[in-house]
Amino acid sequence: MRQRRTGRGGGATMEDVAQVAGVSAMTVSRVLRQPELVNKDLRAKVEAAIRETGYIYNLVASSLASQRSGTIALILPTVASSIFSDSVKGVSDVCRERSVQMIMAETNYVPAEEERVIEALLRRRPDGFVIVGVSHTRATRDMLEKSGVPVVETWDATATPIDSLVSLSNFDAMQAMTQALVAEGYRRIAFVGTATRDHRALMRARGYEAGMAAAGLPIPDILAAGDVTSMGSGAAIAEEIMARGDRPEAVVFLNDVLAAGALLAFQRKGLRVPEDIAVAGFGGFDFARHLIPSLTTVDIPRQEIGRRAAQILLDRIEGKAPAGTLHAVGFEVALRESTRRVPR
Amino acid sequence: MRQRRTGRGGGATMEDVAQVAGVSAMTVSRVLRQPELVNKDLRAKVEAAIRETGYIYNLVASSLASQRSGTIALILPTVASSIFSDSVKGVSDVCRERSVQMIMAETNYVPAEEERVIEALLRRRPDGFVIVGVSHTRATRDMLEKSGVPVVETWDATATPIDSLVSLSNFDAMQAMTQALVAEGYRRIAFVGTATRDHRALMRARGYEAGMAAAGLPIPDILAAGDVTSMGSGAAIAEEIMARGDRPEAVVFLNDVLAAGALLAFQRKGLRVPEDIAVAGFGGFDFARHLIPSLTTVDIPRQEIGRRAAQILLDRIEGKAPAGTLHAVGFEVALRESTRRVPR
DNA sequence: TTGAAAGCGCTAACAA
DNA sequence: TTGTTAGCGCTTTCAA
């Protein structure tokens, strides 16, 4: 003869509520999930019993029984920077609207870490994944495909998505920015990217190169920032640029954070922006429009990317959308004071 | 006679692995959780079987059986702004180090929403809560206490924490800032807070008032920003201040985001900072030191707050720390160029 | 060191 | 409309 395990987890269970209400556990479950199927009087009794017992529904048990966890996983390069926070907000808002819990993990821009992180999250049996980026290790793709979990990739473009894709062409966007600067009359345009092999960063660099090539312009050295999420490294790059002999007329940065750090560093050293050096960023962040001079950038619908990705994913999970959905979001080059062409 | 439910969730289970390895499921479980208890050869066999079957451990089932979910919940006012992102990073880092999953929800600074959100998260049976703020509805406190889940509150101070507390005195910090400005020679010092009844914001306002009172200075109208997370509303407040007749010598803002927005708006309108108007923020954010002029602020160990809270919580969950742990974090007034006293 | 049995708290499938 | 039964995939407990 065995004794009861530990006397139970703690709080009331559905069974307890059922006893108090004088019904079966199944009826309690129905009251909670499909109240319209339950007789009104019984429903009231059950609801009273729930209050009386202080019952809190157990989603862990529910997940196991129903084989649906009611969670989606969000994989992003970093949680600490402002870069993805609007996209997180987009996903998070949709999740709340649709009563799903978002669980999040960061990869630090390292594919091997992404692999580890996705494997760890798979153990929690999320109903789907939203992933920032389209470049993954072979093992990551295999794992995801084998698991059969719906996936939406975002913030980048690819011809071979794992499943669905909220597509943003970093190449096109940075090419457009470069061409806009060329149209403004700039010729010696430098680019600041990153040394990490982040695919989105690479695509932006390529877009810049394509923009320069299309205009028949030579491409100066491409500089690499260390930490792409800090203004400090933008400032460090600015120092580097100022220390060189041949100062470019304009510098395009991988993102607005780096650009802002550099813009302020240039000014600190007495350079006038844009008269002495023009500065452009990428991302369309709030602070860009407030800076003096206001920062030219490529405006991206960051929150919308998160929203759309979550919507597509949840629709798919609920069977309301097919696999392999594609949705492209646009971008807009916002020319502002930091690149206003002025006579020299 | 019933048929098997749906032919099973999908992937391999522990039982499948056990069959392949020729052992019992219990042995597989041990290999995964306490490998040192299992014979070396058997262990190797089981590990091979895991690889062969592509088995992915199911934490949902594990959580239900063990009555521990391996997750902690993080409740914060907003996820979209930079204000808490370092604290999120702190919690998130500790969680990764200790193999725990963080789940997050936002309250939008509204206590009733906090109540809803906490109840929703309780259904997932987190092993503990980290909560930003110490002001909660009665029902929230009751729920949390009744659930018996360890709680760590943060980012504020209180004499009556629910359980543990990583304490930061917003009152003291803002009082110190105010006194520092007085010491610099400022007299007509205004304060910009918020109309929401956020407790931390309130404490900062009170700290400012105390600082002014201690110096025997009158308190001008306290202005209220709408959205405390956007530079735009800082700029709007700046407009309001400039439109008034009696311009203050210095303005202290609830946080650095508002201060930065205002600082730039002042400059746009031709005011010199700090000569015409001095500006101070709160929070010690990265961008504050880069602005021109660099922004005076109260430096808070934001990431450390997250780390400590998570550590205390996890220690408590593992029985390595007592309930009701108190940990106070400090702050530092960073006087920078935006409040450098200059002769008029 | 290994295994068998009995749940954890819920839901799917079926029956009444 | 309500209830019964049999799991979901794991861990706890006990026995060997």
mmCIF file of all heavy atoms in Angstrom, chain A residues 54-97:
data_model
loop_
_atom_site.group_PDB
_atom_site.id
_atom_site.type_symbol
_atom_site.label_atom_id
_atom_site.label_comp_id
_atom_site.label_asym_id
_atom_site.label_seq_id
_atom_site.Cartn_x
_atom_site.Cartn_y
_atom_site.Cartn_z
ATOM 1 N N GLY A 54 -10.972 29.303 -4.131
ATOM 2 C CA GLY A 54 -9.794 30.047 -4.571
ATOM 3 C C GLY A 54 -9.024 29.297 -5.638
ATOM 4 O O GLY A 54 -7.812 29.415 -5.773
ATOM 5 N N TYR A 55 -9.768 28.542 -6.404
ATOM 6 C CA TYR A 55 -9.154 27.692 -7.428
ATOM 7 C C TYR A 55 -8.417 28.506 -8.489
ATOM 8 O O TYR A 55 -8.926 29.494 -8.987
ATOM 9 C CB TYR A 55 -10.229 26.842 -8.092
ATOM 10 C CG TYR A 55 -9.740 26.087 -9.295
ATOM 11 C CD1 TYR A 55 -8.827 25.046 -9.163
ATOM 12 C CD2 TYR A 55 -10.185 26.420 -10.572
ATOM 13 C CE1 TYR A 55 -8.376 24.359 -10.270
ATOM 14 C CE2 TYR A 55 -9.732 25.732 -11.687
ATOM 15 C CZ TYR A 55 -8.826 24.701 -11.528
ATOM 16 O OH TYR A 55 -8.372 24.032 -12.628
ATOM 17 N N ILE A 56 -7.225 28.066 -8.824
ATOM 18 C CA ILE A 56 -6.500 28.657 -9.958
ATOM 19 C C ILE A 56 -6.190 27.569 -10.967
ATOM 20 O O ILE A 56 -5.501 26.594 -10.673
ATOM 21 C CB ILE A 56 -5.189 29.326 -9.489
ATOM 22 C CG1 ILE A 56 -5.514 30.515 -8.590
ATOM 23 C CG2 ILE A 56 -4.375 29.798 -10.684
ATOM 24 C CD1 ILE A 56 -4.302 31.185 -8.012
ATOM 25 N N TYR A 57 -6.745 27.786 -12.137
ATOM 26 C CA TYR A 57 -6.616 26.852 -13.243
ATOM 27 C C TYR A 57 -5.157 26.483 -13.467
ATOM 28 O O TYR A 57 -4.277 27.337 -13.402
ATOM 29 C CB TYR A 57 -7.190 27.557 -14.474
ATOM 30 C CG TYR A 57 -7.304 26.734 -15.713
ATOM 31 C CD1 TYR A 57 -8.064 25.578 -15.747
ATOM 32 C CD2 TYR A 57 -6.659 27.136 -16.885
ATOM 33 C CE1 TYR A 57 -8.177 24.844 -16.915
ATOM 34 C CE2 TYR A 57 -6.773 26.412 -18.054
ATOM 35 C CZ TYR A 57 -7.532 25.270 -18.052
ATOM 36 O OH TYR A 57 -7.639 24.550 -19.210
ATOM 37 N N ASN A 58 -4.919 25.228 -13.722
ATOM 38 C CA ASN A 58 -3.540 24.762 -13.903
ATOM 39 C C ASN A 58 -3.228 24.522 -15.382
ATOM 40 O O ASN A 58 -3.601 23.502 -15.948
ATOM 41 C CB ASN A 58 -3.322 23.486 -13.103
ATOM 42 C CG ASN A 58 -1.861 23.082 -13.084
ATOM 43 O OD1 ASN A 58 -1.124 23.361 -14.018
ATOM 44 N ND2 ASN A 58 -1.453 22.430 -12.020
ATOM 45 N N LEU A 59 -2.521 25.478 -15.963
ATOM 46 C CA LEU A 59 -2.212 25.369 -17.393
ATOM 47 C C LEU A 59 -1.145 24.331 -17.685
ATOM 48 O O LEU A 59 -1.013 23.888 -18.825
ATOM 49 C CB LEU A 59 -1.760 26.734 -17.926
ATOM 50 C CG LEU A 59 -2.884 27.662 -18.352
ATOM 51 C CD1 LEU A 59 -2.369 29.065 -18.567
ATOM 52 C CD2 LEU A 59 -3.537 27.127 -19.617
ATOM 53 N N VAL A 60 -0.387 23.944 -16.667
ATOM 54 C CA VAL A 60 0.617 22.905 -16.900
ATOM 55 C C VAL A 60 -0.099 21.584 -17.179
ATOM 56 O O VAL A 60 0.185 20.908 -18.177
ATOM 57 C CB VAL A 60 1.565 22.766 -15.692
ATOM 58 C CG1 VAL A 60 2.525 21.614 -15.918
ATOM 59 C CG2 VAL A 60 2.325 24.054 -15.451
ATOM 60 N N ALA A 61 -1.044 21.271 -16.332
ATOM 61 C CA ALA A 61 -1.810 20.038 -16.533
ATOM 62 C C ALA A 61 -2.601 20.116 -17.837
ATOM 63 O O ALA A 61 -2.671 19.152 -18.605
ATOM 64 C CB ALA A 61 -2.750 19.812 -15.355
ATOM 65 N N SER A 62 -3.183 21.290 -18.064
ATOM 66 C CA SER A 62 -3.941 21.475 -19.288
ATOM 67 C C SER A 62 -3.075 21.257 -20.527
ATOM 68 O O SER A 62 -3.484 20.599 -21.482
ATOM 69 C CB SER A 62 -4.533 22.882 -19.304
ATOM 70 O OG SER A 62 -5.010 23.196 -20.585
ATOM 71 N N SER A 63 -1.875 21.806 -20.478
ATOM 72 C CA SER A 63 -0.969 21.682 -21.624
ATOM 73 C C SER A 63 -0.646 20.222 -21.914
ATOM 74 O O SER A 63 -0.615 19.794 -23.063
ATOM 75 C CB SER A 63 0.345 22.422 -21.352
ATOM 76 O OG SER A 63 0.114 23.789 -21.141
ATOM 77 N N LEU A 64 -0.389 19.502 -20.854
ATOM 78 C CA LEU A 64 -0.015 18.107 -21.046
ATOM 79 C C LEU A 64 -1.181 17.312 -21.631
ATOM 80 O O LEU A 64 -1.028 16.547 -22.576
ATOM 81 C CB LEU A 64 0.420 17.491 -19.715
ATOM 82 C CG LEU A 64 0.853 16.033 -19.799
ATOM 83 C CD1 LEU A 64 2.036 15.862 -20.746
ATOM 84 C CD2 LEU A 64 1.220 15.496 -18.414
ATOM 85 N N ALA A 65 -2.352 17.548 -21.084
ATOM 86 C CA ALA A 65 -3.514 16.782 -21.536
ATOM 87 C C ALA A 65 -3.929 17.161 -22.954
ATOM 88 O O ALA A 65 -4.316 16.311 -23.736
ATOM 89 C CB ALA A 65 -4.673 16.986 -20.572
ATOM 90 N N SER A 66 -3.857 18.442 -23.247
ATOM 91 C CA SER A 66 -4.372 18.883 -24.544
ATOM 92 C C SER A 66 -3.295 18.917 -25.629
ATOM 93 O O SER A 66 -3.590 19.160 -26.785
ATOM 94 C CB SER A 66 -4.973 20.279 -24.413
ATOM 95 O OG SER A 66 -3.959 21.227 -24.133
ATOM 96 N N GLN A 67 -2.067 18.710 -25.213
ATOM 97 C CA GLN A 67 -0.952 18.764 -26.154
ATOM 98 C C GLN A 67 -0.815 20.134 -26.806
ATOM 99 O O GLN A 67 -0.394 20.243 -27.951
ATOM 100 C CB GLN A 67 -1.112 17.690 -27.247
ATOM 101 C CG GLN A 67 -1.204 16.291 -26.698
ATOM 102 C CD GLN A 67 0.150 15.750 -26.296
ATOM 103 O OE1 GLN A 67 0.833 16.318 -25.435
ATOM 104 N NE2 GLN A 67 0.556 14.669 -26.898
ATOM 105 N N ARG A 68 -1.252 21.166 -26.100
ATOM 106 C CA ARG A 68 -1.026 22.526 -26.565
ATOM 107 C C ARG A 68 -0.635 23.369 -25.361
ATOM 108 O O ARG A 68 -1.335 23.377 -24.355
ATOM 109 C CB ARG A 68 -2.298 23.115 -27.194
ATOM 110 C CG ARG A 68 -2.448 22.730 -28.651
ATOM 111 C CD ARG A 68 -3.814 22.862 -29.192
ATOM 112 N NE ARG A 68 -4.097 23.987 -30.077
ATOM 113 C CZ ARG A 68 -4.039 25.278 -29.771
ATOM 114 N NH1 ARG A 68 -3.620 25.678 -28.600
ATOM 115 N NH2 ARG A 68 -4.390 26.195 -30.643
ATOM 116 N N SER A 69 0.472 24.062 -25.477
ATOM 117 C CA SER A 69 0.965 24.764 -24.293
ATOM 118 C C SER A 69 0.416 26.182 -24.171
ATOM 119 O O SER A 69 0.534 26.802 -23.122
ATOM 120 C CB SER A 69 2.492 24.825 -24.326
ATOM 121 O OG SER A 69 2.913 25.616 -25.412
ATOM 122 N N GLY A 70 -0.144 26.704 -25.271
ATOM 123 C CA GLY A 70 -0.625 28.079 -25.194
ATOM 124 C C GLY A 70 0.507 29.081 -25.047
ATOM 125 O O GLY A 70 0.330 30.155 -24.493
ATOM 126 N N THR A 71 1.677 28.699 -25.548
ATOM 127 C CA THR A 71 2.812 29.629 -25.523
ATOM 128 C C THR A 71 3.429 29.680 -26.917
ATOM 129 O O THR A 71 3.340 28.731 -27.682
ATOM 130 C CB THR A 71 3.926 29.163 -24.564
ATOM 131 O OG1 THR A 71 4.493 27.949 -25.044
ATOM 132 C CG2 THR A 71 3.403 28.938 -23.159
ATOM 133 N N ILE A 72 4.029 30.823 -27.220
ATOM 134 C CA ILE A 72 4.876 30.864 -28.403
ATOM 135 C C ILE A 72 6.240 31.395 -27.988
ATOM 136 O O ILE A 72 6.346 32.177 -27.055
ATOM 137 C CB ILE A 72 4.297 31.718 -29.552
ATOM 138 C CG1 ILE A 72 4.229 33.181 -29.162
ATOM 139 C CG2 ILE A 72 2.927 31.202 -29.970
ATOM 140 C CD1 ILE A 72 3.878 34.091 -30.324
ATOM 141 N N ALA A 73 7.239 30.922 -28.683
ATOM 142 C CA ALA A 73 8.608 31.305 -28.344
ATOM 143 C C ALA A 73 9.073 32.409 -29.282
ATOM 144 O O ALA A 73 8.771 32.387 -30.468
ATOM 145 C CB ALA A 73 9.530 30.099 -28.461
ATOM 146 N N LEU A 74 9.767 33.366 -28.711
ATOM 147 C CA LEU A 74 10.339 34.449 -29.511
ATOM 148 C C LEU A 74 11.853 34.414 -29.357
ATOM 149 O O LEU A 74 12.375 34.504 -28.245
ATOM 150 C CB LEU A 74 9.784 35.796 -29.029
ATOM 151 C CG LEU A 74 10.411 37.050 -29.624
ATOM 152 C CD1 LEU A 74 10.238 37.093 -31.135
ATOM 153 C CD2 LEU A 74 9.786 38.299 -29.001
ATOM 154 N N ILE A 75 12.538 34.262 -30.471
ATOM 155 C CA ILE A 75 14.004 34.178 -30.445
ATOM 156 C C ILE A 75 14.568 35.456 -31.031
ATOM 157 O O ILE A 75 14.286 35.785 -32.185
ATOM 158 C CB ILE A 75 14.494 33.007 -31.326
ATOM 159 C CG1 ILE A 75 13.750 31.731 -30.997
ATOM 160 C CG2 ILE A 75 15.994 32.828 -31.190
ATOM 161 C CD1 ILE A 75 13.979 31.216 -29.626
ATOM 162 N N LEU A 76 15.362 36.173 -30.249
ATOM 163 C CA LEU A 76 15.961 37.372 -30.826
ATOM 164 C C LEU A 76 17.414 37.524 -30.421
ATOM 165 O O LEU A 76 17.857 36.910 -29.464
ATOM 166 C CB LEU A 76 15.149 38.630 -30.538
ATOM 167 C CG LEU A 76 14.793 39.056 -29.141
ATOM 168 C CD1 LEU A 76 14.209 40.455 -29.187
ATOM 169 C CD2 LEU A 76 13.759 38.138 -28.546
ATOM 170 N N PRO A 77 18.148 38.349 -31.180
ATOM 171 C CA PRO A 77 19.584 38.472 -30.924
ATOM 172 C C PRO A 77 19.879 39.021 -29.535
ATOM 173 O O PRO A 77 20.793 38.567 -28.875
ATOM 174 C CB PRO A 77 20.050 39.446 -32.006
ATOM 175 C CG PRO A 77 19.073 39.284 -33.111
ATOM 176 C CD PRO A 77 17.767 39.043 -32.421
ATOM 177 N N THR A 78 19.094 40.004 -29.104
ATOM 178 C CA THR A 78 19.373 40.604 -27.813
ATOM 179 C C THR A 78 18.117 41.234 -27.235
ATOM 180 O O THR A 78 17.306 41.783 -27.963
ATOM 181 C CB THR A 78 20.494 41.666 -27.924
ATOM 182 O OG1 THR A 78 20.589 42.375 -26.698
ATOM 183 C CG2 THR A 78 20.219 42.645 -29.035
ATOM 184 N N VAL A 79 17.968 41.124 -25.933
ATOM 185 C CA VAL A 79 16.786 41.703 -25.297
ATOM 186 C C VAL A 79 17.087 43.061 -24.681
ATOM 187 O O VAL A 79 16.174 43.822 -24.386
ATOM 188 C CB VAL A 79 16.229 40.802 -24.174
ATOM 189 C CG1 VAL A 79 15.797 39.463 -24.731
ATOM 190 C CG2 VAL A 79 17.212 40.621 -23.041
ATOM 191 N N ALA A 80 18.372 43.357 -24.491
ATOM 192 C CA ALA A 80 18.709 44.518 -23.679
ATOM 193 C C ALA A 80 18.679 45.824 -24.458
ATOM 194 O O ALA A 80 18.617 46.888 -23.885
ATOM 195 C CB ALA A 80 20.081 44.346 -23.051
ATOM 196 N N SER A 81 18.716 45.746 -25.762
ATOM 197 C CA SER A 81 18.819 46.989 -26.517
ATOM 198 C C SER A 81 17.453 47.442 -27.011
ATOM 199 O O SER A 81 16.479 46.692 -27.043
ATOM 200 C CB SER A 81 19.772 46.790 -27.676
ATOM 201 O OG SER A 81 19.147 47.045 -28.891
ATOM 202 N N SER A 82 17.404 48.686 -27.409
ATOM 203 C CA SER A 82 16.153 49.235 -27.920
ATOM 204 C C SER A 82 15.845 48.678 -29.304
ATOM 205 O O SER A 82 14.724 48.790 -29.789
ATOM 206 C CB SER A 82 16.266 50.751 -28.002
ATOM 207 O OG SER A 82 17.399 51.104 -28.762
ATOM 208 N N ILE A 83 16.822 48.042 -29.913
ATOM 209 C CA ILE A 83 16.665 47.663 -31.316
ATOM 210 C C ILE A 83 15.443 46.790 -31.566
ATOM 211 O O ILE A 83 14.700 47.001 -32.509
ATOM 212 C CB ILE A 83 17.947 46.961 -31.829
ATOM 213 C CG1 ILE A 83 19.105 47.965 -31.772
ATOM 214 C CG2 ILE A 83 17.748 46.434 -33.235
ATOM 215 C CD1 ILE A 83 20.422 47.451 -32.303
ATOM 216 N N PHE A 84 15.207 45.815 -30.716
ATOM 217 C CA PHE A 84 14.084 44.919 -30.959
ATOM 218 C C PHE A 84 12.904 45.136 -30.021
ATOM 219 O O PHE A 84 11.924 44.409 -30.082
ATOM 220 C CB PHE A 84 14.549 43.468 -30.876
ATOM 221 C CG PHE A 84 15.568 43.134 -31.918
ATOM 222 C CD1 PHE A 84 16.896 42.972 -31.591
ATOM 223 C CD2 PHE A 84 15.200 43.038 -33.248
ATOM 224 C CE1 PHE A 84 17.845 42.692 -32.558
ATOM 225 C CE2 PHE A 84 16.135 42.771 -34.231
ATOM 226 C CZ PHE A 84 17.474 42.599 -33.883
ATOM 227 N N SER A 85 13.011 46.134 -29.154
ATOM 228 C CA SER A 85 11.975 46.221 -28.128
ATOM 229 C C SER A 85 10.598 46.518 -28.720
ATOM 230 O O SER A 85 9.594 46.040 -28.206
ATOM 231 C CB SER A 85 12.358 47.243 -27.059
ATOM 232 O OG SER A 85 12.519 48.510 -27.627
ATOM 233 N N ASP A 86 10.551 47.252 -29.816
ATOM 234 C CA ASP A 86 9.241 47.494 -30.415
ATOM 235 C C ASP A 86 8.666 46.232 -31.045
ATOM 236 O O ASP A 86 7.463 46.009 -31.013
ATOM 237 C CB ASP A 86 9.338 48.594 -31.479
ATOM 238 C CG ASP A 86 9.640 49.944 -30.859
ATOM 239 O OD1 ASP A 86 8.781 50.452 -30.123
ATOM 240 O OD2 ASP A 86 10.739 50.463 -31.083
ATOM 241 N N SER A 87 9.536 45.415 -31.601
ATOM 242 C CA SER A 87 9.055 44.165 -32.170
ATOM 243 C C SER A 87 8.565 43.228 -31.067
ATOM 244 O O SER A 87 7.557 42.541 -31.217
ATOM 245 C CB SER A 87 10.165 43.486 -32.982
ATOM 246 O OG SER A 87 10.462 44.249 -34.131
ATOM 247 N N VAL A 88 9.284 43.233 -29.954
ATOM 248 C CA VAL A 88 8.847 42.443 -28.804
ATOM 249 C C VAL A 88 7.460 42.907 -28.373
ATOM 250 O O VAL A 88 6.560 42.115 -28.125
ATOM 251 C CB VAL A 88 9.817 42.589 -27.612
ATOM 252 C CG1 VAL A 88 9.245 41.930 -26.372
ATOM 253 C CG2 VAL A 88 11.170 42.001 -27.958
ATOM 254 N N LYS A 89 7.311 44.221 -28.345
ATOM 255 C CA LYS A 89 6.015 44.789 -27.960
ATOM 256 C C LYS A 89 4.913 44.327 -28.924
ATOM 257 O O LYS A 89 3.811 43.983 -28.490
ATOM 258 C CB LYS A 89 6.115 46.311 -27.971
ATOM 259 C CG LYS A 89 4.800 47.025 -27.781
ATOM 260 C CD LYS A 89 4.759 47.750 -26.467
ATOM 261 C CE LYS A 89 3.424 48.412 -26.212
ATOM 262 N NZ LYS A 89 2.736 47.808 -25.074
ATOM 263 N N GLY A 90 5.224 44.315 -30.206
ATOM 264 C CA GLY A 90 4.243 43.871 -31.193
ATOM 265 C C GLY A 90 3.815 42.433 -30.945
ATOM 266 O O GLY A 90 2.621 42.120 -30.908
ATOM 267 N N VAL A 91 4.774 41.575 -30.735
ATOM 268 C CA VAL A 91 4.463 40.166 -30.474
ATOM 269 C C VAL A 91 3.688 40.046 -29.164
ATOM 270 O O VAL A 91 2.647 39.381 -29.085
ATOM 271 C CB VAL A 91 5.753 39.321 -30.373
ATOM 272 C CG1 VAL A 91 5.435 37.900 -29.946
ATOM 273 C CG2 VAL A 91 6.492 39.325 -31.706
ATOM 274 N N SER A 92 4.196 40.743 -28.176
ATOM 275 C CA SER A 92 3.601 40.681 -26.843
ATOM 276 C C SER A 92 2.142 41.158 -26.836
ATOM 277 O O SER A 92 1.279 40.549 -26.213
ATOM 278 C CB SER A 92 4.479 41.521 -25.918
ATOM 279 O OG SER A 92 3.815 41.864 -24.748
ATOM 280 N N ASP A 93 1.883 42.227 -27.559
ATOM 281 C CA ASP A 93 0.501 42.747 -27.627
ATOM 282 C C ASP A 93 -0.449 41.739 -28.255
ATOM 283 O O ASP A 93 -1.536 41.481 -27.737
ATOM 284 C CB ASP A 93 0.472 44.050 -28.428
ATOM 285 C CG ASP A 93 1.024 45.229 -27.640
ATOM 286 O OD1 ASP A 93 1.283 45.055 -26.435
ATOM 287 O OD2 ASP A 93 1.198 46.310 -28.230
ATOM 288 N N VAL A 94 -0.027 41.177 -29.363
ATOM 289 C CA VAL A 94 -0.884 40.195 -30.033
ATOM 290 C C VAL A 94 -1.097 38.982 -29.125
ATOM 291 O O VAL A 94 -2.199 38.437 -29.036
ATOM 292 C CB VAL A 94 -0.277 39.765 -31.382
ATOM 293 C CG1 VAL A 94 -1.040 38.600 -31.973
ATOM 294 C CG2 VAL A 94 -0.259 40.938 -32.344
ATOM 295 N N CYS A 95 -0.053 38.587 -28.440
ATOM 296 C CA CYS A 95 -0.177 37.444 -27.527
ATOM 297 C C CYS A 95 -1.209 37.719 -26.448
ATOM 298 O O CYS A 95 -2.030 36.866 -26.119
ATOM 299 C CB CYS A 95 1.166 37.124 -26.878
ATOM 300 S SG CYS A 95 2.285 36.242 -27.977
ATOM 301 N N ARG A 96 -1.164 38.916 -25.902
ATOM 302 C CA ARG A 96 -2.142 39.223 -24.860
ATOM 303 C C ARG A 96 -3.552 39.219 -25.434
ATOM 304 O O ARG A 96 -4.458 38.640 -24.846
ATOM 305 C CB ARG A 96 -1.852 40.579 -24.236
ATOM 306 C CG ARG A 96 -2.840 40.860 -23.088
ATOM 307 C CD ARG A 96 -2.339 41.952 -22.235
ATOM 308 N NE ARG A 96 -1.179 42.493 -22.950
ATOM 309 C CZ ARG A 96 -0.733 43.711 -22.811
ATOM 310 N NH1 ARG A 96 -1.317 44.499 -21.959
ATOM 311 N NH2 ARG A 96 0.296 44.136 -23.493
ATOM 312 N N GLU A 97 -3.718 39.856 -26.589
ATOM 313 C CA GLU A 97 -5.042 39.892 -27.212
ATOM 314 C C GLU A 97 -5.590 38.487 -27.403
ATOM 315 O O GLU A 97 -6.784 38.256 -27.317
ATOM 316 C CB GLU A 97 -4.959 40.571 -28.595
ATOM 317 C CG GLU A 97 -4.738 42.079 -28.542
ATOM 318 C CD GLU A 97 -4.178 42.623 -29.864
ATOM 319 O OE1 GLU A 97 -4.320 41.934 -30.907
ATOM 320 O OE2 GLU A 97 -3.591 43.725 -29.853
#
